[in-house]
Amino acid sequence: MAKRLFDLIGASAALLLLAPLLLLVALAIRLDSPGPVFFRQERVGRGGVPFRIHKFRTMRVDAPALGPQVTVGQDARITRVGHWLRDRRIDELPQFIDVLLGRMSLVGPRPEVPRFVAHYPVALAAQVLAVRPGITDPASLAHIDEASLLAGSADPERTYIDQILPHKLALQAQYAASATLWSDLAVLGRTLRVLLAR
């Protein structure tokens, strides 16, 4: 209950404080390329229940038909504004809405698409999916530049599944097993420091 209350207060405060920025970003997206402001994609939440995540749209509307689900390097599908948003992780800010709706937490394992969740080992899946997914977590901080790393791979999706995903899952399972309100505050602090340094 304390974590949920913390999420509600934190997400509400963030949306209020960031409202001017969010409106400017929405306007920039609409002016930069045709399509909606938000990108909605199915992700797997707590207990394996799917939900549609909120993100600012950073790619062309026909992007899913033009390439893989992982994004690598200077992907041609990313819009001009999208590159700027992704570099600073501003595209993730609408997920505060998902926190208010109870689908996500401020801190928790990043939610994956069903295609990648299908590759979770059963034991790790049970641990990772036992908690609400989050906007940030130790695994996402450890792999904050994974798009650049995947750019050098001949098969980015296979590299993600075979190399990056197992390490992420191990870190996420550790988080799920030992998370406290204080450890969440520490992760949020690290996240802010990383983003402000970009």
Side-chain angles (χ1 to χ4, degrees):
M1 290 299 294
K3 181 177 174 67
R4 181 63 186 142
L5 181 61
F6 176 70
D7 284 342
L8 287 171
I9 294 172
S12 299
L15 286 171
L16 286 172
L17 291 172
L18 296 172
L21 172 63
L22 299 178
L23 290 172
L24 286 174
V25 170
L27 179 61
I29 292 170
R30 290 303 299 269
L31 294 174
D32 182 52
S33 63
V37 168
F38 291 119
F39 170 67
R40 304 295 307 280
Q41 184 185 50
E42 185 177 86
R43 300 292 179 96
V44 178
R46 185 170 64 171
V49 177
F51 71 99
R52 289 174 62 79
I53 200 170
H54 287 81
K55 298 181 75 171
F56 279 127
R57 182 176 60 83
T58 60
M59 303 180 82
R60 295 169 43 173
V61 291
D62 57 353
L66 299 177
Q69 286 193 315
V70 293
T71 309
V72 298
Q74 298 298 308
D75 194 310
R77 298 172 296 168
I78 302 175
T79 64
R80 289 172 299 174
V81 168
H83 280 292
W84 188 83
L85 296 177
R86 282 172 174 255
D87 285 345
R88 293 155 183 81
R89 295 299 190 270
I90 293 174
D91 60 316
E92 310 284 357
L93 294 181
Q95 287 160 42
F96 287 119
I97 297 170
D98 296 308
V99 175
L100 288 181
L101 293 174
R103 298 166 183 162
M104 292 181 65
S105 181
L106 294 177
V107 182
R110 287 293 300 159
E112 281 285 6
V113 296
R115 178 175 179 177
F116 294 140
V117 172
H119 293 274
Y120 285 15
V122 175
L124 285 179
Q127 285 182 275
V128 172
L129 298 179
V131 297
R132 278 192 184 93
I135 295 177
T136 185
D137 74 319
S140 60
L141 291 173
H143 293 274
I144 196 162
D145 290 317
E146 71 179 36
S148 299
L149 296 173
L150 291 172
S153 171
D155 187 346
E157 284 200 15
R158 181 47 52 189
T159 299
Y160 181 79
I161 291 169
D162 292 344
Q163 298 179 28
I164 294 177
L165 189 58
H167 186 242
K168 278 187 171 182
L169 282 172
L171 291 174
Q172 290 171 347
Q174 289 176 15
Y175 167 83
S178 60
T180 65
L181 190 56
W182 296 113
S183 67
D184 281 2
L185 285 170
V187 171
L188 288 172
R190 285 176 55 203
T191 301
L192 286 174
R193 289 196 297 273
V194 168
L195 294 180
L196 290 174
R198 294 180 74 81

